Amino acid sequence: MDVAVFSSTRYERQFLDQANQAAQHDLHYFDVPLDMDSVGLAAGYGAVCIFVNDRANAQVLEALHKGGTRLLALRCTGFNNVDLEAAARLGMKVVRVVTYSPYSVAEHAVALLLAINRKVHRAYNRTRDSNFSLDGLTGFDLHGKTVVVVGTGQIGCVFAKIMLGFGCKVIGFDPYPSAQFEALGLSYATAGEFAEQADVISLHCPLTPETYHIINSQTLKRTKPGAILINTSRGGLIDTEATIEALKSGQLGGLGIDVYEQEADLFFRDLSSEIITDDIFQRLVSFPNVIVTGHQAYLTREALTTICETTVESITDFGNKQALKNEVKVN
Ligand code: NAI
């Protein structure tokens, strides 16, 4: 099939080309994200392949459909950037990568937690500057602390297992309890309780209308003073302005995020010579107890290999009019 690949990066192309060796689809790579400005590039392509910050809203989907696109293949798990109802109305199929490496994201969440708690980022800068003072670098033992996992699906369960290995008490919050989580001997807290009990909160649920700003000023008021918040899921789960207030007051002791509400305007590009006009983001990165990574939690060789192989397989199945294992449908 002819495939227009949007938001494509050099490091990802080698994995996609490798996965496409047998299928030999005609992959056309575009650096730009898919939106109303770039949608014209997709004209004539039967399939369009997108990533987390491409905008597949109704207007873009209509334009794609007019240009002959019939398959939208997401190289990611989350699909909050696609108007599924519009796709269904247009008869356009949407596929995603249901699972690749839950370890990649869970391990990155742990990396953020350890770095924030033990101030690794600050120590790294200090020792490079021959500053061996330990002032301000005190952390806490994770052993014996309470970790709340919000969203106990694939990634949440892997994260929970790792935290159990650290000797933490792990509690879940999820309106749909998972057998895998309960099999670890773990139980759930209610929406009202989870913040009060947590020394660490880690978010592993999808972004939906129900989970939008699941961490807000009310939740933050209820957290234990000094708790650490980790978000490797989607930026919209956190009310960033309320989080900044909680960091300023010391209510929140640290924040590690791989995702940001307005990341589509920033992430995946080198803006080091530009002036960043997003003042909220700039305030966030000014805190010594905040670490931001640019949506790289998934970025391991194992994850990229599976993402690209699954995407190519879905495109092949669609081309051969076979059932789509990874189809996303409107509820
Ligand atoms: P999953 O579908 O296996 O698990 C999601 C869990 O969230 C489910 O157990 C579900 O019941 C739960 N959930 C749904 N609504 C909830 C609510 N209102 N409150 C609490 N929990 C709720 O998904 P998986 O594979 O574990 O991925 C989780 C999320 O991680 C994805 O939705 C995506 O946003 C994010 N992600 C981030 C990546 C990154 O590179 N930063 C890469 C891959 C995924």
Side-chain angles (χ1 to χ4, degrees):
M1 287 196 73
D2 286 343
V3 188
V5 184
F6 283 86
S7 296
S8 84
T9 52
R10 195 164 35 88
Y11 52 82
E12 202 189 18
R13 283 176 203 174
Q14 75 188 76
F15 287 91
L16 258 179
D17 287 340
Q18 176 76 25
N20 189 39
Q21 263 180 3
Q24 289 291 312
H25 294 295
D26 195 358
L27 305 180
H28 260 249
Y29 293 115
F30 298 106
D31 298 346
V32 290
L34 175 70
D35 56 22
M36 264 326 273
D37 293 331
S38 63
V39 70
L41 294 169
Y45 289 91
V48 162
C49 185
I50 64 169
F51 195 47
V52 289
N53 289 326
D54 293 288
R55 294 190 174 122
N57 58 25
Q59 212 188 354
V60 169
L61 290 173
E62 275 156 25
L64 285 178
H65 188 261
K66 248 189 215 153
T69 301
R70 296 295 178 264
L71 176 70
L72 192 66
L74 279 77
R75 314 192 288 287
C76 54
T77 307
F79 48 87
N80 49 287
N81 53 339
V82 181
D83 186 332
L84 291 178
E85 282 179 13
R89 197 173 61 242
L90 294 162
M92 197 183 281
K93 298 280 186 194
V94 180
V95 289
R96 65 174 176 138
V97 182
V98 175
T99 179
Y100 43 97
S101 165
Y103 309 102
S104 61
V105 183
E107 288 172 13
H108 192 78
V110 178
L112 287 173
L113 171 58
L114 291 177
I116 286 289
N117 179 29
R118 302 308 297 270
K119 325 319 187 203
V120 177
H121 55 305
R122 301 188 66 200
Y124 173 80
N125 285 327
R126 280 193 197 182
T127 51
R128 283 164 68 92
D129 197 28
S130 307
N131 175 0
F132 304 105
S133 157
L134 300 183
D135 267 350
L137 300 189
T138 310
F140 58 80
D141 284 6
L142 281 168
H143 182 90
K145 297 297 185 299
T146 300
V147 175
V148 171
V149 182
V150 178
T152 55
Q154 310 235 33
I155 296 169
C157 281
V158 173
F159 179 80
K161 273 190 216 162
I162 300 173
M163 290 295 102
L164 287 174
F166 276 87
C168 296
K169 180 180 177 200
V170 178
I171 299 174
F173 171 70
D174 194 320
Y176 314 99
S178 114
Q180 200 190 347
F181 188 76
E182 285 172 334
L184 297 170
L186 302 174
S187 56
Y188 287 93
T190 64
E193 289 166 353
F194 79 78
E196 282 156 25
Q197 301 185 24
D199 296 292
V200 174
I201 300 175
S202 194
L203 305 179
H204 299 289
C205 57
L207 177 62
T208 63
E210 293 75 42
T211 60
Y212 176 73
H213 285 186
I214 192 167
I215 302 296
N216 51 47
S217 57
Q218 292 312 310
T219 348
L220 289 163
K221 263 186 208 138
R222 286 202 297 271
T223 56
K224 277 192 193 174
I228 293 179
L229 175 62
I230 304 294
N231 186 9
T232 52
S233 274
R234 285 293 179 267
L237 297 177
I238 291 183
D239 178 340
T240 314
E241 291 185 61
T243 306
I244 287 174
E245 289 310 311
L247 284 162
K248 277 161 77 176
S249 71
Q251 177 71 8
L252 199 57
L255 175 71
I257 54 173
D258 185 51
V259 286
Y260 168 62
E261 276 188 286
Q262 307 304 331
E263 70 176 50
D265 298 328
L266 299 171
F267 286 7
F268 306 117
R269 273 166 291 160
D270 179 0
L271 301 178
S272 55
S273 304
E274 318 261 323
I275 304 296
I276 304 292
T277 55
D278 182 337
D279 292 344
I280 295 175
F281 183 79
Q282 291 302 84
R283 181 67 181 103
L284 213 48
V285 291
S286 75
F287 288 99
N289 53 349
V290 171
I291 295 184
V292 181
T293 53
H295 211 131
Q296 68 173 73
Y298 75 101
L299 203 65
T300 64
R301 283 191 295 276
E302 292 78 2
L304 282 170
T305 302
T306 310
I307 289 170
C308 294
E309 285 175 352
T310 308
T311 303
V312 168
E313 192 186 323
S314 294
I315 295 168
T316 304
D317 287 347
F318 179 81
N320 293 338
K321 298 189 171 33
Q322 284 173 353
L324 297 172
K325 290 192 282 291
N326 297 310
E327 184 172 355
V328 194
K329 292 184 181 163
V330 195
N331 280 332

